[in-house]
Amino acid sequence: MRRFSSTEVAELLRISTSNLRTRHKDGSFPDVFTDTRGHRHYTAEEIDQIRSIMAQTGKNPDHYRPGRRKGDHLQVLSVCNFKGGSAKTSSAISLAMRYSLRGYRVAVLDMDAQASLTTFFGFRPELEFSEAGTIYDALRYKDPRPLSEVIRKTYFHNLDLAPAGLILSEYETETANALGRRVQPIFAERLTRALEEVEDDYDLIIIDCPPQLGFVTLTALAASTGLVVTVVPSMLDIASMSQFLNLAAETVETVEEAIDKRVSWDFVKFLITQYEPSDGPQTQMAGYLRTILGDQVLTQPMLKSTAISDAGMTQQTIYEVDPSQLVRKTLERAITSMNGVADELETVIQAAWGR
């Protein structure tokens, strides 16, 4: 993990850089690495340490600890779409990293058998999780394992991972057979029950869903409190999303009948991804989406950026990559865009908690 600059830390903590400097000078904050130019650089752990100090000494402690409070329910966000290439994995991992840096306790569940998100964390799913160790272990019908035994720490502070692997594809076939044999609990309740064991450990669970509406995706949707539907602003992608929503609505109704309980979410938001503001047709499509879906479309889009793809070449995100390795203005533009998306969605999450 790289270190973060004073400007980045001040933005994450919602304090001024001058306040940050003053608190270091008066000894309120611990010493951190300082380069030859006198610029301070912080690890994610040091940022969290400073956040704890601010929570203890600041006028508004809750301002620095934005996670769950007593009575708040665990927020489970599924990032989903019917179509591949809509930046689901990039969105899921970027949101997870941003929120962990903001002070939330986050776990990300990779529920795509392709395991792209798992690979981002440095694992080789085809070698390390060919037979065991994935989210499948907690969902399978024969001898399921507790989710706490599947979730593992990552190198990213405050961010845990439930990995995926090709074996997760077995869940589709097993679920079809289990429905025929009336095995309980049914697929729509399996992740919900698995999460009960670990819900006190986290503020946010973020799920990277596969690009299909199978039993894996339905299992995730049934356990979710909120949905983030990624969509590229093009006619083909919007048509595909429309099919996804229609099919999802019909299928969820069937699930509700099976479990005799209404499936509901605190919110459903649409995130425009791969967006190029200078592209006229994309701008028209984005406007069309906002006309139809209103405020369900997040105001902030996720911009298309070479910084995101270039960072991905080394299995990194824009929050991890060393700024010196990319064109700084391009990276800053991508980070600003993703921060805007995450911050807007954060207000939605806070509102779901009644704040």
Side-chain angles (χ1 to χ4, degrees), residues 115-168:
S116 298
L117 188 142
T118 299
T119 304
F120 258 107
F121 285 98
F123 295 105
R124 295 287 300 276
E126 72 277 12
L127 299 177
E128 298 173 75
F129 307 125
S130 60
E131 296 182 1
T134 71
I135 186 69
Y136 168 75
D137 295 353
L139 298 176
R140 66 192 182 198
Y141 292 86
K142 183 178 180 181
D143 301 324
R145 292 174 57 191
L147 189 55
S148 60
E149 295 181 11
V150 173
I151 292 179
R152 57 184 64 207
K153 298 290 182 183
T154 71
Y155 56 83
F156 209 101
H157 184 62
N158 271 345
L159 179 55
D160 296 346
L161 167 71
L166 191 58
I167 195 172
L168 182 57

Side-chain angles (χ1 to χ4, degrees), residues 36 43 88 92 103 111 119 137 155 160 182 187 192 198 224 254 289 314 322 331 335 352:
T36 54
T43 64
K88 287 189 304 300
M111 294 188 67
T119 304
D137 295 353
Y155 56 83
D160 296 346
R182 300 184 181 276
F187 71 93
T192 302
V198 299
S224 299
T254 304
L289 274 175
T314 54
D322 187 334
L331 178 61
I335 290 177

